Amino acid sequence: MQVTTEAVSGVARRLNVSVPTTRINEQFEARLKRTAKTAKINGFRPGKVPMNVVRREYGASVYQEVVNDVIRDTVFEAIQQEKINAVGMPNIEKVENKEDALVYEATVEVYPEVEVKAFDGLEVERKTSEINDKDVDQMIENLRKQRQTWANTKGMAKKDMQVTFDFEGSIDGEKFEGGAAQDYTLVLGSGQMIPGFEDGIIGMKNGEEKVIDVTFPEDYQAENLAGKQAQFKINVKKVEKPKLPEIDAEFLETFGLTEEDGVEKLKADVRKNMEREVKNGLRNQIKAATFDALVAANEVELPSAMVAQEIDRQRQQMIQQFTQQFGAEGAKAFDSSMLPDDLFKEQAERSVKLGVLVSTVLADAKLEVDPARVDAYIADMASSYEDPTEVIEYFKNDKQQRSQIEAVILEDQVVDHILATAKVTETSVSYEELLKEQQARQQQG
C-alpha cells in the first residue's frame, strides 16, 4: 500500500492511498467462495451452485462489499502509517479502480498544533477576599431567615411580608386563562409576578379588596397576553410578617451544636465554612481569569469534528440536567430539535480552544500531576464531612473519582505555571461580591 499526505489546512490532511489490486482480488475470491456455500439459486441445491453462476449473480455486490471493507481498513492503516493525530472520521473521496490498484483520497481532520504565546504578555486580575465579623453575622442572619416562620399582622402589607389572597384578571373586561387563583401565597418583593403586581398589593390589609392595573411584558411567554394591559381584582385574606427564630438551644441543635457550645461555636463553624467557600471561590476566579486571558491571546484553528463532539457533550449534559430537574418524563419534552447546535456552538468552540491550549502548555512545560496536591485537596474537601477518614479512603480507592480530582489539580498547576510570568494585579472584593461573581460564572456555564 502506498500513501502520500498533503496539508489541506492547519487542521486537515489529505491522504492519497493506493491499494494493490491483488489485495482486492484475494479478498474478493475468498468472499465469493463463502457466498457460494450459502447461495440459493433456482435449479441448484445449496452449496452446489457453480462458481461461474455465483460470480454472475453475486459478483458485483460482493466486489463492492470488498472494496468498501478494504477502504475502511486501509484508511486507518494509512493514518497510522503517516503518524497522523486524527480527530473524527475520515471523509473518503474519488475512489477509482485502476488496472493495478484501487486508488482513493481521504480527508481527515487532525489535532491542532499551536505555539502558545509567551505568558509575560498576559494580564490577569486576581481577586482577594477576607471574612470579617460582619460577614459572619450576616450569614447567621441568613440562616435564621431560612428557618423563619410567619405571624399574622393587622398592619399593612410591606415588602418581605407574606400575603395570602384571591385574584381574578381581565383584559378589556374579559377574563383570560390562567388569570385567576384562590388562596395564593406570595412573599412581596420576591419578583414572582409580573412587574407592578406586587407593588399593587403593598399597603393592603387583611380583608381589603382592590383592583390593580398592570401591563404584561412585551416578551411575556403567553403571546396572547404579551404587552397587554390588564386589571386584577385582589382580595387579601391574610397578611403575615416574618418571625425569625431565636438563637437558642433548639436553633443550635439544627447545626449539631449544644446549648453549652453557644453562639460563639456557631460563629466559629460558620466562619470556617465561609472561609472554605472563599478559598474555592478565589481559586475558581483566578483559574477563570487566567484561562480567559490565555484564550484571548492565542488563535487556534479548530477541527469541526472536535467542536461537533463538544456540542454533543454539552447537549447531553443539558438533557441530564433536565432529567434531574423534571424527571425522565419531563425531560422527554426537550428533544434534540429544541436544542440546536447554535445553542452550544460558541461555548463549545471556546471549550475546545481552551482544551487545546491547556494540553499544549502541559506538554511544553512537561507538567505532571502532583500527588501531594491531590492528597491535600481531598483532605481539605473531606474536612467538611463528619468522618473525614472515610471520605479520604473513598477517593483513594475509587480511581475514577480520583482521576477527576487529578484533572482539576493539573489545571491548577497550569494556572500556577502561567501566573509565574504573567502580569498579575490584585483587587480586594467583599465576600458578597465574590459570591455574586461566582454565581454569575455558574449561570454562564
Side-chain angles (χ1 to χ4, degrees), residues 85-250:
N85 189 5
V87 294
M89 296 296 292
N91 183 35
I92 308 300
E93 302 171 310
K94 297 182 181 179
V95 180
E96 184 179 357
N97 275 303
K98 294 190 175 181
E99 184 176 347
D100 58 348
L102 171 71
V103 178
Y104 65 88
E105 290 182 359
T107 303
V108 61
E109 290 188 306
V110 299
Y111 195 86
E113 294 182 4
V114 297
E115 186 175 342
V116 180
K117 292 184 179 180
F119 304 136
D120 56 7
L122 299 183
E123 296 183 0
V124 181
E125 182 184 31
R126 185 199 298 272
K127 300 289 179 67
T128 62
S129 184
E130 293 183 359
I131 301 297
N132 55 43
D133 292 343
K134 184 178 178 181
D135 294 325
V136 175
D137 290 340
Q138 182 59 54
M139 179 57 70
I140 291 177
E141 188 70 5
N142 292 342
L143 294 174
R144 294 177 68 198
K145 287 180 179 179
Q146 291 172 6
R147 292 157 179 80
Q148 71 183 13
T149 55
W150 299 97
N152 286 331
T153 178
K154 295 181 179 180
M156 295 186 299
K158 300 178 182 178
K159 184 180 178 183
D160 297 327
M161 286 187 177
Q162 182 170 271
V163 181
T164 301
F165 59 98
D166 299 339
F167 67 87
E168 184 178 81
S170 62
I171 296 176
D172 296 331
E174 296 291 331
K175 299 176 183 179
F176 54 89
E177 185 178 356
Q182 301 288 318
D183 296 324
Y184 192 86
T185 300
L186 175 70
V187 176
L188 298 178
S190 61
Q192 293 182 32
M193 310 300 282
I194 60 176
F197 192 102
E198 295 179 29
D199 292 339
I201 299 177
I202 290 176
M204 295 182 69
K205 295 182 179 182
N206 182 18
E208 185 177 351
E209 290 188 3
K210 179 181 178 182
V211 175
I212 61 175
D213 295 316
V214 296
T215 302
F216 283 93
E218 293 292 341
D219 58 352
Y220 193 67
Q221 55 190 5
E223 294 182 2
N224 63 313
L225 300 178
K228 297 287 185 65
Q229 290 186 338
Q231 293 73 45
F232 283 91
K233 181 181 178 181
I234 308 294
N235 178 15
V236 174
K237 293 182 172 180
K238 187 191 298 182
V239 178
E240 299 170 293
K241 59 183 179 181
K243 182 180 179 182
L244 299 180
E246 297 295 330
I247 304 179
D248 52 17
E250 183 179 356

Side-chain angles (χ1 to χ4, degrees), residues 241-276:
K241 59 183 179 181
K243 182 180 179 182
L244 299 180
E246 297 295 330
I247 304 179
D248 52 17
E250 183 179 356
F251 184 80
L252 293 171
E253 187 178 356
T254 61
F255 299 97
L257 301 175
T258 64
E259 191 171 10
E260 289 73 21
D261 290 325
V263 69
E264 292 307 316
K265 180 65 168 64
L266 175 63
K267 287 184 176 182
D269 289 350
V270 167
R271 180 184 288 273
K272 185 177 180 180
N273 289 333
M274 293 175 71
E275 287 174 345
R276 183 183 294 108

